């Protein structure tokens, strides 16, 4: 997303400390203009320190100030913005110094707003964007180039849909959402009735997609509309790139899902789950709140207890030994039986 | 896809029974307007019943009528549309009551039709769409916003290409196909010749893509053009979202492939196969007709017998035990040898 | 990509041999117009032969000439273009006979070039394309329909961005790159700071993407911008379709990555690596030069030695035996302990 490369006037360390609940160790009237990594920061920059791996960078930094925890304050050679949550404070400081580019309100002449659509005067509608009949863009919405908002859809205040996003008919997108390029929300679910002759009959997909407030959806992600009821993404959920969400899925509030996950239809995922990259979740099952799934896990039955789960990933190794081990996998059950026989021998 | 939210005049149960080969138990002149789930249906709605899990909903439904099999007719408190295939009948009834939005024929002034392209007067070409030189849109084709049809491509009657779909040059798309947003048909295959210095030389991709009739392609799916011959998708095939189909692949008629599958170049997949999510298929191999592949299976050799196959998915478990088991995988071959030694002991 | 279906005037075998360093066995003044597979080539065509599987096709070919290695020259019934690297020579001959369609310079009236952008007069900017403020298109750049080039981005000479590609603000794309439809370069990385209440705070993504020269990026691929520094793709790298590249990743020169790979943030991948389809690479680790990863491998620790590695793929089998074996996986550690106990028995 386009942000200011730096704050033109700058902000003082005193202002930053006050706005972001930090304890300032240093002069409050020093002005900073942007954030930068410890090793590349200069006297106009704020840096942050999280991990001991960067301790040398911290000790040698030329930043005006560093955001870090009390515990490492002694190692900081410059002004310090102290906080128990340096990463969160960094996020807020970066937002202060690199605000999102302000909207340029209006509908570009190369955009198309259908009769009967309601576009608030504060919205920016980029060239090539298309707003369908009866769709509503609330205050402060940004539509990037070639974004499509289907008939009857509603986009909440201050949401930003970036280039080539497609929003299906009747979809509801909450406030302050960000949808990255080429994501598709509200495509038809994969509903196919088998016929006796082996052919398929498409099941009309009549539900829609409801996305809560403060949701972020990654580039190229696809969220299907529901078959009869809606697909629902809870407030504050975070979906990374190239994720598939099948029809009727519910994703709970503040659940974060990394790139490449595939969630089959009608799965229900709880709140505050953390799902790593490439996870697969079978259809029609439930995952309770506060579940962590490691990369590539395939979930084929409901998860009823919070906790960390894994599966489907076996360790990488040199190819010759991997071949031997993988081949043995096919005889694993047999091996078990052989061991049991050995155990029965006296 | 945009459908009518309900049938304005409604259809009588008698008409629905007749059109869809159902046996009506109830009054034939009751008028219904839309489909709905059992639990939310009112007296203007038809619902359907498939699974015993919804038996309580069936008994309590306020629908005007329910589509279900003879076997459960006794549990239905309202009119019944009886059929041995309730899911298929539901699909047809839903089509009757929620028809696709009719086309609004014409080329939008923000669309671009190259000289030498042939667009039938019955087609709808949405804003931002672009039809290349020599391309042909047959009768009743819908191009959504920002769809690109490459030079010389041909789109068959009544096919619908939704927002941001890209169709490559010379591609052939059959009749009544549906291509969901952001799908790409006819991108270059991944043909790269290695040089001695480690660099790659691109192999020109000179084939195209041929898609049969009644094919559905999911959002964000990518089907590469062939290297010299064509990539071919058979009649009635169903591809879900975010699927990769490499160059020269052939997919047989009525084969259905769920989201996230990756099919490498020159694979040949038979007819009526059912391929679950996240499956990988290596290049240059053959899968015969009527093969079922469970989720995440990786196919590395040809499948010559119809049947159900699986692999590459090990069960999910709590992370600590998973770590222990996964680590042992690396010594599985060694374990075999140790068991064999034990067996040889007397 | 659009290429000429054949060379209008044709080229002589003598010219082709000279331009591509082949040894011609046959008449140098025979004219050929296009390439074709051995079995379908006619007297206007050049074919190539690589694999013994096609020996019958070679013996029966009606091509004007065949590109092949000295070793198989005896089997070739027609003129031969002999070379130690037939596949590379074929690539060059195919380029000679099927050149990329020449650009049609100019900015289409349905395209939008922001004030302050610099578009060289030799560029072709297709309908629906949008070039942001301050962006630069160097000589000979092609922007396909509905391509977006963000503010301040720079596209190097002779690069071609195909339909619906989105290039983020400030991105740098080198010379002679090809980006296939719907790829996204420069979307925000997935940076999220957890809060105590379980919600997430978005980390502004302030770096960009730098792509070297001669890079090819597949359809639907997503390359995130860096969080503070840049995501970097080295010269000559080849990325296939639907690949995810997280923020701050570095990919070395001439590394080739097949479809569906997922590379998490801050991973560093060396030069000349060959990464097969569906591989996952965890964040913050390093893979040295000249590493080959087989399909579906998941890399969870750094790879420090060149070589071939595999993992995470167990063999496909009939579903009943697979179920038994997969279930045993959960008790693999236990099995080890049981075998050890047996070994200790005398």
């Amino acid at each position: 997303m386009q942000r200011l490369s730096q704050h033109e006037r700058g902000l003082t360390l005193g202002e930053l400390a006050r706005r972001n609940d930090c304890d300032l160790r240093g002069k409050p009237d020093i002005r900073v203009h942007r954030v930068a990594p410890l090793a590349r920061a200069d006297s106009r920059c704020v840096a942050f320190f999280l991990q001991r791996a960067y301790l040398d960078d911290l000790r040698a930094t030329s930043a005006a100030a560093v955001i870090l925890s009390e515990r490492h304050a002694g190692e900081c050679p410059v002004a310090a913005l102290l906080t128990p949550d340096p990463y969160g404070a960094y996020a807020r400081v970066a937002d202060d110094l690199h605000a999102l580019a302000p909207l340029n309100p209006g509908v570009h002449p190369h955009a198309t707003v259908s009769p009967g659509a309601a576009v608030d005067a504060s919205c920016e509608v980029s060239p090539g964007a298309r707003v369908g009949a009866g769709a509503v863009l609330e205050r402060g919405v940004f539509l990037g180039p070639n974004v499509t908002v289907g008939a009857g859809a509603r986009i909440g205040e201050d949401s930003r849909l970036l280039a080539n996003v497609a929003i299906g008919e009747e979809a509801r997108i909450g406030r302050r959402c960000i949808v990255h390029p080429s994501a598709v929300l509200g495509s038809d679910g994969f509903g196919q009735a088998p016929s006796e002759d082996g052919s398929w009959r498409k099941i009309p997909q009549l539900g829609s997609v409801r996305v809560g407030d403060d949701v972020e959806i990654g580039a190229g992600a696809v969220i299907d509309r529901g078959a009869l009821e809606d697909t629902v993404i809870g407030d504050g959920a975070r979906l990374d790139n190239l994720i598939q969400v099948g029809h009727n899925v519910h994703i709970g509030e503040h659940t974060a899902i990394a790139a490449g996950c595939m969630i089959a239809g009608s799965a229900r995922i709880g709140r505050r789950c953390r799902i790593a990259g490439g996870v697969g979740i079978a259809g029609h099952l439930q995952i309770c709140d506060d579940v962590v799934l490691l990369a590539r896990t395939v979930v084929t039955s409901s998860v009823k207890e919070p906790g960390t789960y894994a599966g489907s990933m076996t360790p990488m190794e040199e190819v010759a030994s991997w071949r031997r081990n993988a081949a043995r996998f096919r005889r694993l059950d047999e091996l078990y039986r052989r061991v049991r026989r050995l155990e029965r021998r006296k």
Side-chain angles (χ1 to χ4, degrees), chain A residues 2-312:
Chain A
Q2 190 168 12
R3 291 176 177 268
L4 305 180
S5 65
Q6 58 177 330
H7 196 289
E8 210 179 335
R9 289 186 41 250
L11 292 169
T12 66
L13 295 183
E15 283 173 294
L16 286 177
R18 198 169 342 109
R19 291 162 73 127
N20 299 301
D21 254 340
C22 296
D23 185 14
L24 174 64
R25 192 163 302 175
K27 293 190 187 153
D29 56 343
I30 293 173
R31 238 165 227 287
V32 289
H33 298 259
R34 53 196 177 83
V35 298
L38 287 163
R40 291 196 321 164
D42 63 27
S43 65
R44 295 167 62 87
C45 296
V46 179
F48 75 107
F49 173 81
L50 274 186
Q51 293 174 285
R52 299 191 58 81
Y54 294 92
L55 204 52
D56 288 350
D57 286 355
L58 174 62
R59 288 170 181 149
T61 192
S62 302
V66 178
I67 303 164
L68 75 179
S69 73
E70 182 70 46
R71 184 159 41 115
H72 297 104
E75 312 277 2
C76 179
V78 297
L81 289 158
L82 300 175
T83 165
D85 174 18
Y87 199 41
Y90 163 72
R92 294 192 300 272
V93 167
D95 262 338
D96 287 342
L97 294 171
H98 303 267
L100 286 175
L103 298 195
N104 190 357
V107 174
H108 192 279
H110 284 174
T112 306
V113 176
S114 300
V119 175
D120 190 86
S122 60
C123 297
E124 176 174 350
V125 178
S126 301
R130 198 280 198 116
V131 182
V136 175
L137 306 190
E138 297 182 358
R139 202 151 46 78
V141 165
F142 173 77
L143 298 191
N146 305 316
V147 167
T148 297
V149 175
R154 184 177 197 103
I155 314 295
E157 281 180 29
D158 297 322
S159 282
R160 295 186 177 222
L161 314 185
L162 305 182
N164 300 327
V165 163
I167 305 291
E169 298 79 21
E170 305 294 336
R172 291 285 172 275
I173 312 294
R175 291 170 291 178
R176 296 174 303 278
C177 290
I178 300 166
V179 185
H180 292 289
S182 286
V184 177
L185 282 70
S187 40
D188 272 6
F190 198 58
Q192 311 286 350
S195 302
E196 271 181 37
D197 64 356
S199 72
W200 299 95
R201 175 140 197 130
K202 178 179 174 64
I203 307 291
Q205 301 292 301
L206 301 167
S208 193
V209 169
R210 276 185 288 135
V211 173
D213 296 334
D214 301 298
V215 169
E216 189 171 350
I217 309 279
V222 177
I223 302 178
D224 283 341
R225 61 173 59 239
L228 264 175
E229 312 211 45
D230 291 341
T231 302
V232 179
I233 313 291
D235 291 345
R238 302 297 158 104
L239 276 65
D240 198 359
N241 303 328
L242 293 171
I243 285 174
Q244 147 78 358
V245 178
H247 54 189
N248 315 319
V249 166
H250 283 226
I251 294 177
E253 294 159 29
H254 307 306
T255 281
I257 305 181
C261 291
M262 300 279 149
I263 303 169
S266 301
R268 302 223 159 197
I269 301 175
R271 287 169 292 180
R272 296 177 305 276
C273 294
R274 299 183 184 198
I275 300 181
V279 164
I281 297 178
H284 294 275
L285 53 72
Q286 309 207 345
I287 295 178
C288 66
D289 297 343
D290 300 302
V291 167
V292 176
L293 297 170
L294 299 200
R296 290 287 174 115
T297 299
V298 181
V299 182
T300 54
S301 56
S302 289
V303 180
K304 292 167 182 166
E305 293 293 327
T308 300
Y309 299 85
S312 290

